Amino acid sequence: MTITFTKGHGTGNDFILIQDLAGQMALTEAEIRKLCDRHFGIGADGLIFAVRTENSAEVRGLLEQEPNAEWFMDYRNSDGSKAEMCGNGIRVFARYLLSNSLAELTDGSTLPIATRNGIKDVTATASGFAVDLGRWGVTETEYLVRVGGLGVARPGLAINLGNPHIVVALADQEELSSLELSKAPVLDPEAPNGANVEFVVLDEPLIKEGVASLTMRVHERGVGETMSCGTGVAAAALAIRHWAGNGQNFWKVRVPGGEVAVRMFATEDGEHVGISGAAELVFTGSVEL
């Protein structure tokens, strides 16, 4: 089977994008792992199928909520497992849809995209795209996180953004640099469905010209350490705000692949969090599988 693909990334978090309009390209987890392998495949943190929402039994019902959500971002981690959402991936997905004339996004308009975590609204910005990740919440379970490079376990705050995150605050950049994230952090207790784990260090001063800033590294479940994680960036800012109790709503988060902005804002159904950043398509090609 010959597969035509596009490679893209959002702040270094990279993806393989494949059109599967009818939702019938039933690649196995092993085949997805092969495509995402950086030595023997194309190489990526994840794979995204562009599926017409009406053709997906998983999310077809979302059309009752938002009839204009024509496209489903069927996201898979590099280990082949399904994921609920991907904050960088959905921006790259939007770029892919527009570049292939599969969707339009004019000034001031919104592009609704179906995900396993519901409808996400994407808008264009000067530097890329912004996405409303929706409501969020703090999970009551208290976690201890053990990871290579840190001598003792550290407490982590669990944040739910439709996918699970655990955020750990570190003392300084030296601790952040010392982390060994080639292996997954050990969680106590274990997270039922695994979790993305973010390690963050606050800038000094924390707030400058009304924007708070921090630096982050992340280990994504089903992937490993990545250069960026969109929902993880949001989780990191939310956790720090939760601990600080300062009501700061504008954040700048630096990751190894660049910088992502985070904004918290009120809506009729409660507080939402959004992120914005770059989204680039790198090349297209075909591969035999």
Side-chain angles (χ1 to χ4, degrees), residues 1-40:
M1 176 170 56
T2 301
I3 295 176
T4 300
F5 69 89
T6 297
K7 181 73 179 291
H9 77 92
T11 53
N13 198 189
D14 58 344
F15 312 96
I16 299 165
L17 299 107
I18 298 172
Q19 286 189 36
D20 181 21
L21 309 189
Q24 296 180 346
M25 191 177 290
L27 298 187
T28 66
E29 289 190 356
E31 289 171 330
I32 292 172
R33 287 196 298 270
K34 182 177 180 180
L35 289 172
C36 292
D37 190 287
R38 296 191 182 279
H39 301 286
F40 299 101

PDB file of all heavy atoms in Angstrom, residues 1-40:
ATOM      1  N   MET A   1       0.844  -1.188   0.000  1.00  0.00           N
ATOM      2  CA  MET A   1       0.000   0.000   0.000  1.00  0.00           C
ATOM      3  C   MET A   1       0.882   1.241   0.000  1.00  0.00           C
ATOM      4  O   MET A   1       1.830   1.349   0.798  1.00  0.00           O
ATOM      5  CB  MET A   1      -0.905   0.004   1.238  1.00  0.00           C
ATOM      6  CG  MET A   1      -1.755   1.258   1.390  1.00  0.00           C
ATOM      7  SD  MET A   1      -3.011   1.138   2.689  1.00  0.00           S
ATOM      8  CE  MET A   1      -2.006   0.737   4.131  1.00  0.00           C
ATOM      9  N   THR A   2       0.603   2.169  -0.896  1.00  0.00           N
ATOM     10  CA  THR A   2       1.313   3.443  -0.955  1.00  0.00           C
ATOM     11  C   THR A   2       0.495   4.503  -0.242  1.00  0.00           C
ATOM     12  O   THR A   2      -0.679   4.705  -0.540  1.00  0.00           O
ATOM     13  CB  THR A   2       1.561   3.872  -2.411  1.00  0.00           C
ATOM     14  OG1 THR A   2       2.323   2.868  -3.081  1.00  0.00           O
ATOM     15  CG2 THR A   2       2.308   5.197  -2.456  1.00  0.00           C
ATOM     16  N   ILE A   3       1.131   5.189   0.708  1.00  0.00           N
ATOM     17  CA  ILE A   3       0.459   6.221   1.492  1.00  0.00           C
ATOM     18  C   ILE A   3       1.085   7.572   1.182  1.00  0.00           C
ATOM     19  O   ILE A   3       2.309   7.732   1.249  1.00  0.00           O
ATOM     20  CB  ILE A   3       0.573   5.924   3.004  1.00  0.00           C
ATOM     21  CG1 ILE A   3      -0.180   4.642   3.347  1.00  0.00           C
ATOM     22  CG2 ILE A   3       0.034   7.100   3.825  1.00  0.00           C
ATOM     23  CD1 ILE A   3      -0.041   4.234   4.797  1.00  0.00           C
ATOM     24  N   THR A   4       0.260   8.529   0.812  1.00  0.00           N
ATOM     25  CA  THR A   4       0.708   9.910   0.628  1.00  0.00           C
ATOM     26  C   THR A   4       0.540  10.649   1.950  1.00  0.00           C
ATOM     27  O   THR A   4      -0.498  10.556   2.595  1.00  0.00           O
ATOM     28  CB  THR A   4      -0.101  10.608  -0.471  1.00  0.00           C
ATOM     29  OG1 THR A   4       0.077   9.885  -1.693  1.00  0.00           O
ATOM     30  CG2 THR A   4       0.365  12.040  -0.668  1.00  0.00           C
ATOM     31  N   PHE A   5       1.556  11.393   2.345  1.00  0.00           N
ATOM     32  CA  PHE A   5       1.546  12.038   3.659  1.00  0.00           C
ATOM     33  C   PHE A   5       2.133  13.436   3.567  1.00  0.00           C
ATOM     34  O   PHE A   5       2.797  13.806   2.590  1.00  0.00           O
ATOM     35  CB  PHE A   5       2.351  11.210   4.670  1.00  0.00           C
ATOM     36  CG  PHE A   5       3.833  11.215   4.386  1.00  0.00           C
ATOM     37  CD1 PHE A   5       4.666  12.188   4.925  1.00  0.00           C
ATOM     38  CD2 PHE A   5       4.396  10.270   3.538  1.00  0.00           C
ATOM     39  CE1 PHE A   5       6.027  12.204   4.652  1.00  0.00           C
ATOM     40  CE2 PHE A   5       5.750  10.271   3.247  1.00  0.00           C
ATOM     41  CZ  PHE A   5       6.574  11.244   3.805  1.00  0.00           C
ATOM     42  N   THR A   6       1.880  14.208   4.620  1.00  0.00           N
ATOM     43  CA  THR A   6       2.525  15.503   4.828  1.00  0.00           C
ATOM     44  C   THR A   6       3.137  15.501   6.213  1.00  0.00           C
ATOM     45  O   THR A   6       2.557  14.968   7.158  1.00  0.00           O
ATOM     46  CB  THR A   6       1.521  16.663   4.703  1.00  0.00           C
ATOM     47  OG1 THR A   6       1.002  16.688   3.371  1.00  0.00           O
ATOM     48  CG2 THR A   6       2.172  18.002   5.003  1.00  0.00           C
ATOM     49  N   LYS A   7       4.319  16.070   6.329  1.00  0.00           N
ATOM     50  CA  LYS A   7       4.970  16.204   7.633  1.00  0.00           C
ATOM     51  C   LYS A   7       4.841  17.654   8.095  1.00  0.00           C
ATOM     52  O   LYS A   7       5.059  18.594   7.320  1.00  0.00           O
ATOM     53  CB  LYS A   7       6.449  15.827   7.508  1.00  0.00           C
ATOM     54  CG  LYS A   7       7.267  15.896   8.803  1.00  0.00           C
ATOM     55  CD  LYS A   7       6.951  14.794   9.766  1.00  0.00           C
ATOM     56  CE  LYS A   7       7.813  14.895  11.017  1.00  0.00           C
ATOM     57  NZ  LYS A   7       9.243  14.595  10.770  1.00  0.00           N
ATOM     58  N   GLY A   8       4.441  17.848   9.358  1.00  0.00           N
ATOM     59  CA  GLY A   8       4.298  19.184   9.911  1.00  0.00           C
ATOM     60  C   GLY A   8       4.692  19.218  11.365  1.00  0.00           C
ATOM     61  O   GLY A   8       4.897  18.172  12.002  1.00  0.00           O
ATOM     62  N   HIS A   9       4.816  20.419  11.905  1.00  0.00           N
ATOM     63  CA  HIS A   9       5.159  20.540  13.326  1.00  0.00           C
ATOM     64  C   HIS A   9       4.613  21.840  13.909  1.00  0.00           C
ATOM     65  O   HIS A   9       4.373  22.822  13.204  1.00  0.00           O
ATOM     66  CB  HIS A   9       6.671  20.470  13.538  1.00  0.00           C
ATOM     67  CG  HIS A   9       7.385  21.760  13.180  1.00  0.00           C
ATOM     68  ND1 HIS A   9       7.635  22.745  14.110  1.00  0.00           N
ATOM     69  CD2 HIS A   9       7.882  22.219  12.001  1.00  0.00           C
ATOM     70  CE1 HIS A   9       8.257  23.760  13.531  1.00  0.00           C
ATOM     71  NE2 HIS A   9       8.421  23.462  12.244  1.00  0.00           N
ATOM     72  N   GLY A  10       4.430  21.822  15.226  1.00  0.00           N
ATOM     73  CA  GLY A  10       4.090  23.004  16.000  1.00  0.00           C
ATOM     74  C   GLY A  10       5.106  23.141  17.110  1.00  0.00           C
ATOM     75  O   GLY A  10       5.147  22.304  18.010  1.00  0.00           O
ATOM     76  N   THR A  11       5.984  24.133  17.038  1.00  0.00           N
ATOM     77  CA  THR A  11       7.100  24.318  17.976  1.00  0.00           C
ATOM     78  C   THR A  11       7.866  23.013  18.197  1.00  0.00           C
ATOM     79  O   THR A  11       8.195  22.645  19.324  1.00  0.00           O
ATOM     80  CB  THR A  11       6.637  24.923  19.324  1.00  0.00           C
ATOM     81  OG1 THR A  11       5.556  24.138  19.879  1.00  0.00           O
ATOM     82  CG2 THR A  11       6.169  26.349  19.154  1.00  0.00           C
ATOM     83  N   GLY A  12       8.169  22.323  17.099  1.00  0.00           N
ATOM     84  CA  GLY A  12       8.993  21.128  17.166  1.00  0.00           C
ATOM     85  C   GLY A  12       8.261  19.847  17.478  1.00  0.00           C
ATOM     86  O   GLY A  12       8.832  18.760  17.354  1.00  0.00           O
ATOM     87  N   ASN A  13       7.017  19.919  17.907  1.00  0.00           N
ATOM     88  CA  ASN A  13       6.171  18.751  18.146  1.00  0.00           C
ATOM     89  C   ASN A  13       5.665  18.321  16.772  1.00  0.00           C
ATOM     90  O   ASN A  13       4.852  19.013  16.166  1.00  0.00           O
ATOM     91  CB  ASN A  13       5.020  19.164  19.052  1.00  0.00           C
ATOM     92  CG  ASN A  13       4.314  18.016  19.740  1.00  0.00           C
ATOM     93  OD1 ASN A  13       3.281  18.226  20.362  1.00  0.00           O
ATOM     94  ND2 ASN A  13       4.824  16.796  19.672  1.00  0.00           N
ATOM     95  N   ASP A  14       6.175  17.184  16.222  1.00  0.00           N
ATOM     96  CA  ASP A  14       5.974  16.908  14.809  1.00  0.00           C
ATOM     97  C   ASP A  14       5.013  15.755  14.555  1.00  0.00           C
ATOM     98  O   ASP A  14       4.880  14.832  15.366  1.00  0.00           O
ATOM     99  CB  ASP A  14       7.308  16.676  14.101  1.00  0.00           C
ATOM    100  CG  ASP A  14       8.117  15.531  14.694  1.00  0.00           C
ATOM    101  OD1 ASP A  14       7.831  15.100  15.819  1.00  0.00           O
ATOM    102  OD2 ASP A  14       9.056  15.071  14.012  1.00  0.00           O
ATOM    103  N   PHE A  15       4.363  15.831  13.374  1.00  0.00           N
ATOM    104  CA  PHE A  15       3.262  14.930  13.066  1.00  0.00           C
ATOM    105  C   PHE A  15       3.293  14.518  11.602  1.00  0.00           C
ATOM    106  O   PHE A  15       3.714  15.284  10.732  1.00  0.00           O
ATOM    107  CB  PHE A  15       1.915  15.610  13.355  1.00  0.00           C
ATOM    108  CG  PHE A  15       1.861  16.264  14.700  1.00  0.00           C
ATOM    109  CD1 PHE A  15       2.121  17.622  14.833  1.00  0.00           C
ATOM    110  CD2 PHE A  15       1.588  15.525  15.834  1.00  0.00           C
ATOM    111  CE1 PHE A  15       2.105  18.235  16.076  1.00  0.00           C
ATOM    112  CE2 PHE A  15       1.564  16.123  17.081  1.00  0.00           C
ATOM    113  CZ  PHE A  15       1.821  17.474  17.204  1.00  0.00           C
ATOM    114  N   ILE A  16       2.805  13.311  11.355  1.00  0.00           N
ATOM    115  CA  ILE A  16       2.513  12.831  10.015  1.00  0.00           C
ATOM    116  C   ILE A  16       1.017  13.029   9.788  1.00  0.00           C
ATOM    117  O   ILE A  16       0.204  12.607  10.612  1.00  0.00           O
ATOM    118  CB  ILE A  16       2.870  11.343   9.874  1.00  0.00           C
ATOM    119  CG1 ILE A  16       4.367  11.115  10.134  1.00  0.00           C
ATOM    120  CG2 ILE A  16       2.467  10.812   8.503  1.00  0.00           C
ATOM    121  CD1 ILE A  16       4.723   9.659  10.373  1.00  0.00           C
ATOM    122  N   LEU A  17       0.648  13.668   8.684  1.00  0.00           N
ATOM    123  CA  LEU A  17      -0.761  13.922   8.376  1.00  0.00           C
ATOM    124  C   LEU A  17      -1.140  13.156   7.116  1.00  0.00           C
ATOM    125  O   LEU A  17      -0.443  13.224   6.101  1.00  0.00           O
ATOM    126  CB  LEU A  17      -1.016  15.404   8.188  1.00  0.00           C
ATOM    127  CG  LEU A  17      -0.697  16.261   9.425  1.00  0.00           C
ATOM    128  CD1 LEU A  17       0.565  17.071   9.202  1.00  0.00           C
ATOM    129  CD2 LEU A  17      -1.856  17.166   9.792  1.00  0.00           C
ATOM    130  N   ILE A  18      -2.256  12.425   7.201  1.00  0.00           N
ATOM    131  CA  ILE A  18      -2.712  11.569   6.110  1.00  0.00           C
ATOM    132  C   ILE A  18      -4.199  11.799   5.888  1.00  0.00           C
ATOM    133  O   ILE A  18      -4.983  11.822   6.844  1.00  0.00           O
ATOM    134  CB  ILE A  18      -2.467  10.082   6.440  1.00  0.00           C
ATOM    135  CG1 ILE A  18      -0.970   9.812   6.605  1.00  0.00           C
ATOM    136  CG2 ILE A  18      -3.062   9.177   5.369  1.00  0.00           C
ATOM    137  CD1 ILE A  18      -0.655   8.415   7.113  1.00  0.00           C
ATOM    138  N   GLN A  19      -4.600  11.974   4.629  1.00  0.00           N
ATOM    139  CA  GLN A  19      -6.023  12.090   4.319  1.00  0.00           C
ATOM    140  C   GLN A  19      -6.674  10.709   4.330  1.00  0.00           C
ATOM    141  O   GLN A  19      -6.219   9.795   3.648  1.00  0.00           O
ATOM    142  CB  GLN A  19      -6.228  12.726   2.942  1.00  0.00           C
ATOM    143  CG  GLN A  19      -5.961  14.215   2.917  1.00  0.00           C
ATOM    144  CD  GLN A  19      -6.389  14.865   1.608  1.00  0.00           C
ATOM    145  OE1 GLN A  19      -7.390  14.467   1.015  1.00  0.00           O
ATOM    146  NE2 GLN A  19      -5.642  15.874   1.177  1.00  0.00           N
ATOM    147  N   ASP A  20      -7.715  10.590   5.129  1.00  0.00           N
ATOM    148  CA  ASP A  20      -8.530   9.367   5.174  1.00  0.00           C
ATOM    149  C   ASP A  20      -9.982   9.818   5.230  1.00  0.00           C
ATOM    150  O   ASP A  20     -10.662   9.652   6.238  1.00  0.00           O
ATOM    151  CB  ASP A  20      -8.147   8.524   6.393  1.00  0.00           C
ATOM    152  CG  ASP A  20      -8.943   7.236   6.494  1.00  0.00           C
ATOM    153  OD1 ASP A  20      -9.494   6.792   5.456  1.00  0.00           O
ATOM    154  OD2 ASP A  20      -9.033   6.672   7.603  1.00  0.00           O
ATOM    155  N   LEU A  21     -10.436  10.440   4.157  1.00  0.00           N
ATOM    156  CA  LEU A  21     -11.721  11.127   4.160  1.00  0.00           C
ATOM    157  C   LEU A  21     -12.872  10.219   4.569  1.00  0.00           C
ATOM    158  O   LEU A  21     -13.786  10.633   5.283  1.00  0.00           O
ATOM    159  CB  LEU A  21     -12.006  11.728   2.778  1.00  0.00           C
ATOM    160  CG  LEU A  21     -10.898  12.596   2.170  1.00  0.00           C
ATOM    161  CD1 LEU A  21     -11.402  13.293   0.931  1.00  0.00           C
ATOM    162  CD2 LEU A  21     -10.365  13.597   3.176  1.00  0.00           C
ATOM    163  N   ALA A  22     -12.826   8.955   4.139  1.00  0.00           N
ATOM    164  CA  ALA A  22     -13.915   8.017   4.438  1.00  0.00           C
ATOM    165  C   ALA A  22     -13.737   7.312   5.768  1.00  0.00           C
ATOM    166  O   ALA A  22     -14.620   6.568   6.192  1.00  0.00           O
ATOM    167  CB  ALA A  22     -14.034   6.987   3.314  1.00  0.00           C
ATOM    168  N   GLY A  23     -12.621   7.527   6.429  1.00  0.00           N
ATOM    169  CA  GLY A  23     -12.380   6.879   7.712  1.00  0.00           C
ATOM    170  C   GLY A  23     -12.207   5.378   7.609  1.00  0.00           C
ATOM    171  O   GLY A  23     -12.574   4.643   8.525  1.00  0.00           O
ATOM    172  N   GLN A  24     -11.617   4.924   6.527  1.00  0.00           N
ATOM    173  CA  GLN A  24     -11.497   3.486   6.284  1.00  0.00           C
ATOM    174  C   GLN A  24     -10.059   2.990   6.255  1.00  0.00           C
ATOM    175  O   GLN A  24      -9.811   1.815   5.998  1.00  0.00           O
ATOM    176  CB  GLN A  24     -12.189   3.126   4.964  1.00  0.00           C
ATOM    177  CG  GLN A  24     -13.686   3.378   4.984  1.00  0.00           C
ATOM    178  CD  GLN A  24     -14.355   3.028   3.669  1.00  0.00           C
ATOM    179  OE1 GLN A  24     -13.697   2.834   2.643  1.00  0.00           O
ATOM    180  NE2 GLN A  24     -15.679   2.939   3.691  1.00  0.00           N
ATOM    181  N   MET A  25      -9.085   3.848   6.526  1.00  0.00           N
ATOM    182  CA  MET A  25      -7.689   3.442   6.506  1.00  0.00           C
ATOM    183  C   MET A  25      -7.324   2.843   7.864  1.00  0.00           C
ATOM    184  O   MET A  25      -6.854   3.528   8.768  1.00  0.00           O
ATOM    185  CB  MET A  25      -6.778   4.629   6.180  1.00  0.00           C
ATOM    186  CG  MET A  25      -5.340   4.236   5.885  1.00  0.00           C
ATOM    187  SD  MET A  25      -4.334   5.663   5.423  1.00  0.00           S
ATOM    188  CE  MET A  25      -5.013   6.052   3.822  1.00  0.00           C
ATOM    189  N   ALA A  26      -7.552   1.568   8.001  1.00  0.00           N
ATOM    190  CA  ALA A  26      -7.416   0.896   9.296  1.00  0.00           C
ATOM    191  C   ALA A  26      -5.978   0.436   9.528  1.00  0.00           C
ATOM    192  O   ALA A  26      -5.668  -0.764   9.529  1.00  0.00           O
ATOM    193  CB  ALA A  26      -8.376  -0.290   9.366  1.00  0.00           C
ATOM    194  N   LEU A  27      -5.069   1.407   9.731  1.00  0.00           N
ATOM    195  CA  LEU A  27      -3.688   1.040  10.033  1.00  0.00           C
ATOM    196  C   LEU A  27      -3.608   0.468  11.439  1.00  0.00           C
ATOM    197  O   LEU A  27      -4.271   0.939  12.366  1.00  0.00           O
ATOM    198  CB  LEU A  27      -2.776   2.257   9.928  1.00  0.00           C
ATOM    199  CG  LEU A  27      -2.655   2.936   8.563  1.00  0.00           C
ATOM    200  CD1 LEU A  27      -1.590   4.017   8.601  1.00  0.00           C
ATOM    201  CD2 LEU A  27      -2.355   1.933   7.472  1.00  0.00           C
ATOM    202  N   THR A  28      -2.792  -0.547  11.617  1.00  0.00           N
ATOM    203  CA  THR A  28      -2.603  -1.146  12.929  1.00  0.00           C
ATOM    204  C   THR A  28      -1.673  -0.288  13.774  1.00  0.00           C
ATOM    205  O   THR A  28      -0.966   0.591  13.252  1.00  0.00           O
ATOM    206  CB  THR A  28      -2.007  -2.556  12.803  1.00  0.00           C
ATOM    207  OG1 THR A  28      -0.667  -2.442  12.273  1.00  0.00           O
ATOM    208  CG2 THR A  28      -2.858  -3.430  11.890  1.00  0.00           C
ATOM    209  N   GLU A  29      -1.650  -0.544  15.074  1.00  0.00           N
ATOM    210  CA  GLU A  29      -0.727   0.185  15.942  1.00  0.00           C
ATOM    211  C   GLU A  29       0.713  -0.066  15.508  1.00  0.00           C
ATOM    212  O   GLU A  29       1.546   0.846  15.550  1.00  0.00           O
ATOM    213  CB  GLU A  29      -0.936  -0.227  17.401  1.00  0.00           C
ATOM    214  CG  GLU A  29      -2.243   0.279  17.998  1.00  0.00           C
ATOM    215  CD  GLU A  29      -2.320   0.079  19.494  1.00  0.00           C
ATOM    216  OE1 GLU A  29      -1.379  -0.525  20.069  1.00  0.00           O
ATOM    217  OE2 GLU A  29      -3.310   0.522  20.100  1.00  0.00           O
ATOM    218  N   ALA A  30       1.025  -1.280  15.092  1.00  0.00           N
ATOM    219  CA  ALA A  30       2.383  -1.602  14.647  1.00  0.00           C
ATOM    220  C   ALA A  30       2.743  -0.801  13.404  1.00  0.00           C
ATOM    221  O   ALA A  30       3.887  -0.320  13.262  1.00  0.00           O
ATOM    222  CB  ALA A  30       2.505  -3.099  14.372  1.00  0.00           C
ATOM    223  N   GLU A  31       1.801  -0.634  12.478  1.00  0.00           N
ATOM    224  CA  GLU A  31       2.068   0.138  11.265  1.00  0.00           C
ATOM    225  C   GLU A  31       2.259   1.618  11.589  1.00  0.00           C
ATOM    226  O   GLU A  31       3.120   2.285  10.999  1.00  0.00           O
ATOM    227  CB  GLU A  31       0.919  -0.058  10.271  1.00  0.00           C
ATOM    228  CG  GLU A  31       0.909  -1.452   9.656  1.00  0.00           C
ATOM    229  CD  GLU A  31      -0.345  -1.733   8.852  1.00  0.00           C
ATOM    230  OE1 GLU A  31      -1.420  -1.174   9.191  1.00  0.00           O
ATOM    231  OE2 GLU A  31      -0.245  -2.516   7.891  1.00  0.00           O
ATOM    232  N   ILE A  32       1.485   2.133  12.532  1.00  0.00           N
ATOM    233  CA  ILE A  32       1.653   3.530  12.941  1.00  0.00           C
ATOM    234  C   ILE A  32       3.004   3.716  13.620  1.00  0.00           C
ATOM    235  O   ILE A  32       3.711   4.708  13.372  1.00  0.00           O
ATOM    236  CB  ILE A  32       0.493   3.968  13.858  1.00  0.00           C
ATOM    237  CG1 ILE A  32      -0.810   4.014  13.053  1.00  0.00           C
ATOM    238  CG2 ILE A  32       0.779   5.330  14.484  1.00  0.00           C
ATOM    239  CD1 ILE A  32      -2.041   4.255  13.886  1.00  0.00           C
ATOM    240  N   ARG A  33       3.388   2.773  14.462  1.00  0.00           N
ATOM    241  CA  ARG A  33       4.705   2.853  15.110  1.00  0.00           C
ATOM    242  C   ARG A  33       5.809   2.867  14.055  1.00  0.00           C
ATOM    243  O   ARG A  33       6.803   3.605  14.189  1.00  0.00           O
ATOM    244  CB  ARG A  33       4.907   1.679  16.066  1.00  0.00           C
ATOM    245  CG  ARG A  33       4.098   1.771  17.351  1.00  0.00           C
ATOM    246  CD  ARG A  33       4.628   0.819  18.407  1.00  0.00           C
ATOM    247  NE  ARG A  33       4.530  -0.574  17.983  1.00  0.00           N
ATOM    248  CZ  ARG A  33       3.466  -1.349  18.214  1.00  0.00           C
ATOM    249  NH1 ARG A  33       2.414  -0.837  18.831  1.00  0.00           N
ATOM    250  NH2 ARG A  33       3.448  -2.608  17.822  1.00  0.00           N
ATOM    251  N   LYS A  34       5.659   2.048  13.016  1.00  0.00           N
ATOM    252  CA  LYS A  34       6.671   1.997  11.956  1.00  0.00           C
ATOM    253  C   LYS A  34       6.771   3.338  11.240  1.00  0.00           C
ATOM    254  O   LYS A  34       7.873   3.830  10.977  1.00  0.00           O
ATOM    255  CB  LYS A  34       6.329   0.886  10.973  1.00  0.00           C
ATOM    256  CG  LYS A  34       7.348   0.707   9.854  1.00  0.00           C
ATOM    257  CD  LYS A  34       6.997  -0.465   8.958  1.00  0.00           C
ATOM    258  CE  LYS A  34       8.030  -0.628   7.845  1.00  0.00           C
ATOM    259  NZ  LYS A  34       7.711  -1.776   6.960  1.00  0.00           N
ATOM    260  N   LEU A  35       5.640   3.943  10.911  1.00  0.00           N
ATOM    261  CA  LEU A  35       5.654   5.235  10.228  1.00  0.00           C
ATOM    262  C   LEU A  35       6.289   6.321  11.097  1.00  0.00           C
ATOM    263  O   LEU A  35       7.006   7.194  10.600  1.00  0.00           O
ATOM    264  CB  LEU A  35       4.231   5.641   9.836  1.00  0.00           C
ATOM    265  CG  LEU A  35       3.577   4.841   8.713  1.00  0.00           C
ATOM    266  CD1 LEU A  35       2.105   5.221   8.583  1.00  0.00           C
ATOM    267  CD2 LEU A  35       4.298   5.053   7.393  1.00  0.00           C
ATOM    268  N   CYS A  36       6.025   6.278  12.402  1.00  0.00           N
ATOM    269  CA  CYS A  36       6.520   7.312  13.315  1.00  0.00           C
ATOM    270  C   CYS A  36       7.960   7.069  13.766  1.00  0.00           C
ATOM    271  O   CYS A  36       8.560   7.958  14.392  1.00  0.00           O
ATOM    272  CB  CYS A  36       5.613   7.417  14.542  1.00  0.00           C
ATOM    273  SG  CYS A  36       3.958   8.068  14.199  1.00  0.00           S
ATOM    274  N   ASP A  37       8.517   5.905  13.479  1.00  0.00           N
ATOM    275  CA  ASP A  37       9.878   5.575  13.899  1.00  0.00           C
ATOM    276  C   ASP A  37      10.875   6.521  13.225  1.00  0.00           C
ATOM    277  O   ASP A  37      10.855   6.704  12.008  1.00  0.00           O
ATOM    278  CB  ASP A  37      10.200   4.127  13.548  1.00  0.00           C
ATOM    279  CG  ASP A  37      11.500   3.665  14.180  1.00  0.00           C
ATOM    280  OD1 ASP A  37      12.576   4.105  13.718  1.00  0.00           O
ATOM    281  OD2 ASP A  37      11.441   2.872  15.143  1.00  0.00           O
ATOM    282  N   ARG A  38      11.752   7.113  14.008  1.00  0.00           N
ATOM    283  CA  ARG A  38      12.679   8.115  13.478  1.00  0.00           C
ATOM    284  C   ARG A  38      13.876   7.498  12.768  1.00  0.00           C
ATOM    285  O   ARG A  38      14.636   8.214  12.101  1.00  0.00           O
ATOM    286  CB  ARG A  38      13.143   9.049  14.594  1.00  0.00           C
ATOM    287  CG  ARG A  38      11.996   9.864  15.189  1.00  0.00           C
ATOM    288  CD  ARG A  38      12.471  10.975  16.093  1.00  0.00           C
ATOM    289  NE  ARG A  38      11.338  11.694  16.666  1.00  0.00           N
ATOM    290  CZ  ARG A  38      10.654  12.638  16.040  1.00  0.00           C
ATOM    291  NH1 ARG A  38      10.997  12.996  14.816  1.00  0.00           N
ATOM    292  NH2 ARG A  38       9.633  13.234  16.624  1.00  0.00           N
ATOM    293  N   HIS A  39      14.071   6.209  12.907  1.00  0.00           N
ATOM    294  CA  HIS A  39      15.193   5.551  12.239  1.00  0.00           C
ATOM    295  C   HIS A  39      14.756   4.731  11.028  1.00  0.00           C
ATOM    296  O   HIS A  39      15.459   4.681  10.023  1.00  0.00           O
ATOM    297  CB  HIS A  39      15.928   4.644  13.227  1.00  0.00           C
ATOM    298  CG  HIS A  39      16.463   5.370  14.412  1.00  0.00           C
ATOM    299  ND1 HIS A  39      17.570   6.183  14.352  1.00  0.00           N
ATOM    300  CD2 HIS A  39      16.029   5.421  15.701  1.00  0.00           C
ATOM    301  CE1 HIS A  39      17.806   6.707  15.550  1.00  0.00           C
ATOM    302  NE2 HIS A  39      16.887   6.248  16.386  1.00  0.00           N
ATOM    303  N   PHE A  40      13.589   4.086  11.126  1.00  0.00           N
ATOM    304  CA  PHE A  40      13.144   3.188  10.071  1.00  0.00           C
ATOM    305  C   PHE A  40      11.863   3.657   9.371  1.00  0.00           C
ATOM    306  O   PHE A  40      11.364   2.966   8.482  1.00  0.00           O
ATOM    307  CB  PHE A  40      12.919   1.781  10.641  1.00  0.00           C
ATOM    308  CG  PHE A  40      14.174   1.181  11.226  1.00  0.00           C
ATOM    309  CD1 PHE A  40      14.383   1.172  12.591  1.00  0.00           C
ATOM    310  CD2 PHE A  40      15.156   0.656  10.396  1.00  0.00           C
ATOM    311  CE1 PHE A  40      15.535   0.631  13.139  1.00  0.00           C
ATOM    312  CE2 PHE A  40      16.313   0.106  10.928  1.00  0.00           C
ATOM    313  CZ  PHE A  40      16.512   0.099  12.300  1.00  0.00           C
TER     314      PHE A  40
END
